[in-house]
Amino acid sequence: MLANSITFLSLLSAGLSQVKACPLPTMPDKILYLYGGDRPWVSDVWVTTDDRVRGGASHSYLTVDSPDHARFHGHLDTSTLGGAGFASQHSLGELHLDLEDYDGIIVSVRGPDKADGKRYALTLKDDLVPPSSDGREQSSVSWEAQFVAEKPGDVKLPWDQFKATYRGREKEDAAPLNLKDIKRVGLMMRSFFGKQDGDFQLHLYAISAYKHEPFAKQHEDEEEEDLKAGQVLATRTTTTKSWCKRLLCGLV
């Protein structure tokens, strides 16, 4: 009988040791899809701007493989322009996006294949300069946030990571980014002054704006219920330990 009781107590103790606190839920995000997600990718709303406009030899494409799969790919040449070079795709026309209520941009890198490990830039413009007299696009200030495509998953780019640049160099005297009227979104591959070149390919699920949102009241209620359940479990555990102690005392 003593052996059976000890076996029972061992099983009871093992069961109690498996009780773990529930992990806290992660902070939810409010998502506004700009491309991908619930706004399927379409290739004809993207425009190519490569360094060929300056005599370079780089080229890029935005290829849509399915409504939720796009590829930004091409070849970055740095030999023609002496170490410099860029290849980019940007949105067609003027978007007039109001993103003031959001916290930043998410670039969702698609799997399952490993990403190419190259450094990219997501660019925003709040002001567009008219084309020159020969129809060529003129340079203007871009706000860019750099990221490295290391693996599939979401890359968050909060607004404070976006830096004003002009022809690849930071422009410290630029006016603040007007988030109420974003006119252009772009993807860029550039040499970062001779640091990378060659073929590149970025698989994308979506580009979206995100905002951290506080827990809803129902989550607070759930946490309160979990707390009460934990208190009940603690009471039962204490009672069980007391009962076990009395049982052992009676057996010894």
Side-chain angles (χ1 to χ4, degrees):
M1 179 177 178
L2 177 59
N4 291 338
S5 299
I6 292 176
T7 300
F8 167 74
L9 293 173
S10 299
L11 292 173
L12 179 61
S13 177
L16 291 173
S17 67
Q18 298 300 314
V19 177
K20 297 180 180 179
C22 295
L24 291 175
T26 56
M27 185 71 77
D29 286 333
K30 175 183 177 182
I31 297 296
L32 173 66
Y33 285 107
L34 307 179
Y35 300 96
D38 59 12
R39 294 191 175 186
W41 289 96
V42 180
S43 59
D44 59 8
V45 297
W46 290 84
V47 178
T48 301
T49 301
D50 298 331
D51 60 19
R52 287 176 291 177
V53 299
R54 299 179 191 167
S58 300
H59 56 268
S60 69
Y61 309 93
L62 195 292
T63 301
V64 175
D65 293 330
S66 69
D68 62 356
H69 183 191
R71 288 181 293 124
F72 172 48
H73 61 107
H75 181 83
L76 179 66
D77 174 81
T78 58
S79 59
T80 305
L81 296 178
F86 68 90
S88 69
Q89 297 283 320
H90 65 74
S91 54
L92 176 68
E94 296 190 14
L95 300 177
H96 299 291
L97 297 172
D98 184 355
L99 303 181
E100 187 177 40
D101 291 336
Y102 292 84
D103 296 331
I105 298 292
I106 292 178
V107 178
S108 298
V109 180
R110 186 184 173 95
D113 296 333
K114 182 180 178 181
D116 64 7
K118 292 185 179 291
R119 182 174 295 276
Y120 293 85
L122 186 130
T123 62
L124 303 174
K125 284 182 180 286
D126 59 1
D127 184 41
L128 300 180
V129 179
S132 60
S133 58
D134 60 2
R136 295 172 60 181
E137 185 173 322
Q138 298 190 75
S139 298
S140 61
V141 174
S142 292
W143 289 80
E144 73 172 45
Q146 301 174 15
F147 64 95
V148 177
E150 295 179 328
K151 59 183 179 180
D154 289 346
V155 179
K156 283 191 174 182
L157 304 172
W159 297 135
D160 60 8
Q161 288 189 18
F162 285 82
K163 307 300 181 183
T165 61
Y166 181 76
R167 291 191 172 182
R169 296 186 181 277
E170 192 165 337
K171 186 174 176 58
E172 296 182 356
D173 61 348
L177 177 63
N178 180 13
L179 292 171
K180 287 187 67 66
D181 190 15
I182 299 299
K183 294 182 172 67
R184 178 176 291 177
V185 176
L187 291 164
M188 177 172 286
M189 161 58 64
R190 59 186 178 89
S191 67
F192 294 99
F193 303 103
K195 293 182 179 179
Q196 61 182 10
D197 61 7
D199 294 339
F200 63 90
Q201 183 162 245
L202 179 64
H203 292 262
L204 296 165
Y205 169 71
I207 298 174
S208 55
Y210 75 92
K211 178 180 177 60
H212 288 302
E213 294 215 312
F215 291 122
K217 181 65 168 61
Q218 65 183 55
H219 292 146
E220 295 177 358
D221 293 340
E222 289 173 359
E223 288 182 353
E224 185 176 350
E225 290 176 2
D226 290 342
L227 179 60
K228 290 180 180 179
Q231 292 172 343
V232 171
L233 178 60
T235 302
R236 289 178 179 174
T237 302
T238 302
T239 303
T240 302
K241 288 181 178 179
S242 177
W243 175 81
C244 292
K245 184 176 180 181
R246 291 199 302 271
L247 177 61
L248 282 174
C249 290
L251 292 172
V252 175

